[in-house]
Amino acid sequence: MSRSEKAAEIRRIMGVDGENIGKNARNLSDNASDAIAAFDSYEELRAETRRIKEEAIASLPERIEEVTEAVEENGGHVYVAQDAEDANRYIEGVMDEQDAEHLVKSKSMTTEELELNHHLEGAGYEVTETDLGEFVIQVADETPSHLIAPAMHRSPPDIAELFNEYFDLDEPLSEDPHELTEFARERVGERIREADVGLTGANFVVTETGTISIVTNEGNARKTAVTPPTHVAVTGIEKLIPTVSDLRPFLELIARTGTGQEIGAYLTLLTPPVETPSLDFDTGEYGQPDDREFHLVLIDNGRMAMREDDQLRETLYCIRCGACSNACANFQSVGGHAFGGETYSGGIGTGWEAGVHGLDSAADMNDLCTGCSQCVNKCPVKIDIPWINTVVRDRLNRSNESESFDFLVDGLTPDAEPEGLDVQKRLFGNIETFAKLGSIAPGLSNAAIESSAVQRLLDRFVGIDSRRSLPTLADETLVEWAAGRRRANPDSDREAVLYPDLYTNYFSPERGKAAVRVLEALGVAVRVPAVPESGRAPLSQGMIDTADEKASAVYAALAEHLDADRDIVVVEPSDLAMFRTEYERLLPERSYSRLSDGSYELFEYVYGLLENGAKIDTLPTAVDEEITYHSHCQQRTLGLDAYTTEVLDRAGYDVSTTDIECCGMAGSFGYKSEYYELSMDVGSRLDEQLPDSGPVVASGTSCGEQIAALTADGAPHPIRLLDPRQSR
């Protein structure tokens, strides 16, 4: 798919699904945030779920043996299917043995992965979905747009129109959700009573007892499991956990993170085959309890290979609560029909698609994860979802075929990537190189950057959208400026290194100069040495080897300062996030710990100085001046945004904050022509929270650029408010 075709498809899906997806996903995300904030045991239970999952996946072969023994001892059957064809063949065999014609299903993403409905219907069987959302999309002949809310993209009026057209009713249904639900309940209930076989998924399977745990909000799964005489449960092998007591932390978290409920409306624990007799609803006669059949079908379909993959293994810890999708700004605009592959959607969907369907299935959705990290603290199993997306992006980059003129681009860029890398990614991943070259003659470079002819060429051949204004290079870099001035406070006991990140150094040195002057006014001796870019730029493009080289170079440049007990102060939050999170995967453990422990976000550092005796009145202050502050998404994930608010408050500002997940710019994402309109759609939600007039400040470079594009006003870094020179 070309860039223009991709942009057109995203635009189409935003138009069809965007409004409903956005409203419903944000509602669930807000509810989850409230539920998490009110739950004191959240972090403790997250650590516990993580431990249980790590141990269960590590001992997966033993867990499969244990559950097989337990289920067979209970009187049921276990089948481990190697792939979709194997699983579908087995389930069709069960239907044949039971002389069945009709199967009812509760919601199951795993059977979506198998395309079970298509297989059984092709073999002549009738299949009825019983989950309300699945029932709707079965009638509409669509695919799910969300892991737990498959019809999230449809509104009640949409569904009323669909039902009225499909069922040809004498009395048309209204748009009242209660009437629509009642209609579906009656239809589904009738089909459950008529069914020969009931098929469910399972949220968890306890291996010591063979107990199945199902969490729903409708109760249809319980009816599906126990009403027909034969029950088939289909689930991935990653759903196995050792003991009943291990269920507790998962059941405490799954509804809180997914929907914001303390617990799901229906929590079902079954140890099948159940002992209650089945009922023939036509004759009113009960069957014999011993006649009940139970089959547990465990799906591998690539999961054992994922278990052996150090980078994708974390995906198997997923409990499919959907929290990562709800928290994702891009998902809120397009939903799973754009941010999805063959089966799975949202942030974690990339790992699932790559693992069970192959890399190609993840290709079109992968770039929609911008690494904003808003999903990280919402995941109940502490999965590093942005890293999984980065790994998949890296593998996709390496799977590209090289083209005839790749050698020309390779020669211009000193990265560690192979031929075949998309030229757009190679440019953004090597932006430091181009900034260095451009800074040799910034006036000439800026004339070229601002030329409409150059912008058209970049749009056509590189995919940089010409509707965006490109940042211009400063006449003097921050490092050059610092080298030409006398350092203040040379005898101070506290020394700091201001990290000259790529954007502050080459494009926005004024905020770096303001930071130096503020720290000096607070009594700190400040150095600004030349240090390479953190690796954030290449990592965002999936160029892991290049980012790894950058990380090593940064540590080498800063090691002597750490040895001298100098604090590392970082202006750009995305670079501090590199030091504190991604570097754990890129540097030796001791190097990572030293740099992570010795680095501070700028306002975190200023706050620390004030708490240790520095005086705010050594800086310019205000008297209840109103200011709107937009913090960076990764700054929020690290829990650092409150320092800026507190310091500005002490300086006399009346601070209002935005709470939108992401500005939509996300570094290079908003510059890419295929994503420009999506980026602006995400940004429009931030725009709604900005004041009609009055100053706005933003911590992130790209946040400021997006706000400037939305409002035509700049949004400088908040440190400019405290600059002793007050030149904002």
Side-chain angles (χ1 to χ4, degrees), residues 206-502:
V206 178
T207 60
E208 70 173 356
T209 60
T211 302
I212 292 172
S213 171
I214 307 173
V215 182
T216 71
N217 279 323
E218 299 176 15
N220 58 300
R222 188 181 299 173
K223 290 180 184 175
T224 299
V226 303
T227 304
T230 299
H231 175 202
V232 179
V234 180
T235 192
I237 53 177
E238 80 281 3
K239 299 290 185 67
L240 303 180
I241 60 172
T243 68
V244 173
S245 63
D246 289 331
L247 281 172
R248 183 201 159 227
F250 293 102
L251 299 179
E252 292 267 20
L253 294 181
I254 189 168
R256 281 187 168 89
T257 55
T259 59
Q261 299 164 279
E262 290 187 3
I263 195 165
Y266 292 87
L267 169 58
T268 302
L269 294 179
L270 295 170
T271 305
V274 296
E275 296 179 355
T276 53
S278 59
L279 174 63
D280 186 323
F281 288 88
D282 290 331
T283 64
E285 295 179 356
Y286 288 98
Q288 295 297 317
D290 291 345
D291 291 341
R292 282 194 177 273
E293 282 270 331
F294 173 66
H295 298 260
L296 175 61
V297 183
L298 297 172
I299 309 299
D300 181 340
N301 203 30
R303 288 166 173 79
M304 276 298 186
M306 293 168 72
R307 176 176 174 266
E308 300 300 321
D309 187 324
D310 289 342
Q311 305 292 350
L312 289 186
R313 185 184 305 126
E314 267 194 297
T315 308
L316 297 174
Y317 304 160
C318 171
I319 61 173
R320 311 233 181 111
C321 67
C324 56
S325 297
N326 300 334
C328 173
N330 281 344
F331 190 92
Q332 291 172 7
S333 284
V334 296
H337 288 160
F339 199 165
E342 291 184 37
T343 305
Y344 297 101
S345 58
I348 195 63
T350 296
W352 280 117
E353 289 294 320
V356 304
H357 293 308
L359 276 176
D360 287 346
S361 185
D364 284 337
M365 65 186 287
N366 178 241
D367 280 345
L368 292 177
C369 173
T370 62
C372 78
S373 73
Q374 287 298 291
C375 56
V376 170
N377 292 339
K378 289 284 184 70
C379 176
V381 201
K382 305 182 79 166
I383 300 173
D384 190 347
I385 295 168
W387 180 257
I388 290 173
N389 277 273
T390 301
V391 167
V392 171
R393 196 168 299 159
D394 181 84
R395 293 179 183 180
L396 284 164
N397 289 344
R398 294 173 186 281
S399 69
N400 291 339
E401 297 278 337
S402 61
E403 297 186 6
S404 304
F405 297 101
D406 276 353
F407 71 95
L408 292 174
V409 182
D410 283 347
L412 292 172
T413 51
D415 58 49
E417 308 304 313
E419 291 184 359
L421 179 64
D422 181 272
V423 65
Q424 183 192 65
K425 291 187 176 183
R426 198 180 289 277
L427 184 146
F428 283 120
N430 286 281
I431 195 67
E432 182 182 37
T433 299
F434 294 106
K436 276 183 182 175
L437 291 172
S439 290
I440 295 172
L444 186 60
S445 302
N446 289 336
I449 288 171
E450 293 175 331
S451 158
S452 58
V454 170
Q455 290 183 0
R456 284 197 299 271
L457 288 172
L458 288 173
D459 195 332
R460 180 173 180 181
F461 294 107
V462 186
I464 297 177
D465 200 288
S466 57
R467 289 167 285 187
R468 288 282 186 192
S469 297
L470 296 171
T472 54
L473 294 157
D475 292 337
E476 181 185 50
T477 68
L478 178 65
V479 171
E480 290 168 346
W481 170 81
R485 68 191 292 267
R486 177 180 297 174
R487 278 193 291 129
N489 310 319
D491 299 324
S492 174
D493 292 335
R494 185 168 290 279
E495 282 192 278
V497 168
L498 187 78
Y499 172 64
D501 66 82
L502 169 65

Side-chain angles (χ1 to χ4, degrees), residues 576-711:
L576 183 74
M578 285 291 288
F579 293 178
R580 290 196 179 172
T581 55
E582 282 88 353
Y583 274 19
E584 186 173 13
R585 299 177 185 273
L586 303 176
L587 290 177
E589 182 177 351
R590 184 168 180 274
S591 303
Y592 158 71
S593 297
R594 291 190 71 209
L595 185 52
S596 176
D597 294 346
S599 301
Y600 304 87
E601 189 269 337
L602 176 57
F603 271 85
E604 176 190 23
Y605 194 72
V606 170
Y607 175 83
L609 293 172
L610 297 175
E611 285 292 290
N612 286 279
K615 303 297 183 186
I616 191 71
D617 57 11
T618 60
L619 303 172
T621 55
V623 180
D624 296 331
E625 182 180 338
E626 294 184 354
I627 193 88
T628 301
Y629 170 51
H630 175 70
S631 59
H632 190 278
C633 46
Q634 288 164 334
Q635 190 182 14
R636 298 183 199 192
T637 301
L638 294 172
L640 299 173
D641 50 314
Y643 291 112
T644 303
T645 308
E646 175 61 23
V647 171
L648 293 181
D649 182 65
R650 292 189 187 188
Y653 287 94
D654 181 3
V655 185
S656 300
T657 58
T658 63
D659 62 3
I660 210 73
E661 282 85 357
C662 178
C663 70
M665 193 67 181
S668 63
F669 183 80
Y671 287 105
K672 297 180 177 179
S673 57
E674 61 269 42
Y675 302 125
Y676 169 79
E677 286 159 288
L678 172 56
S679 166
M680 293 302 286
D681 187 72
V682 172
S684 67
R685 300 196 284 273
L686 171 60
D687 194 22
E688 292 172 1
Q689 296 191 358
L690 298 177
D692 293 333
S693 61
V696 178
V697 291
S699 299
T701 301
S702 59
C703 306
E705 291 168 353
Q706 180 76 320
I707 291 170
L710 292 166
T711 67

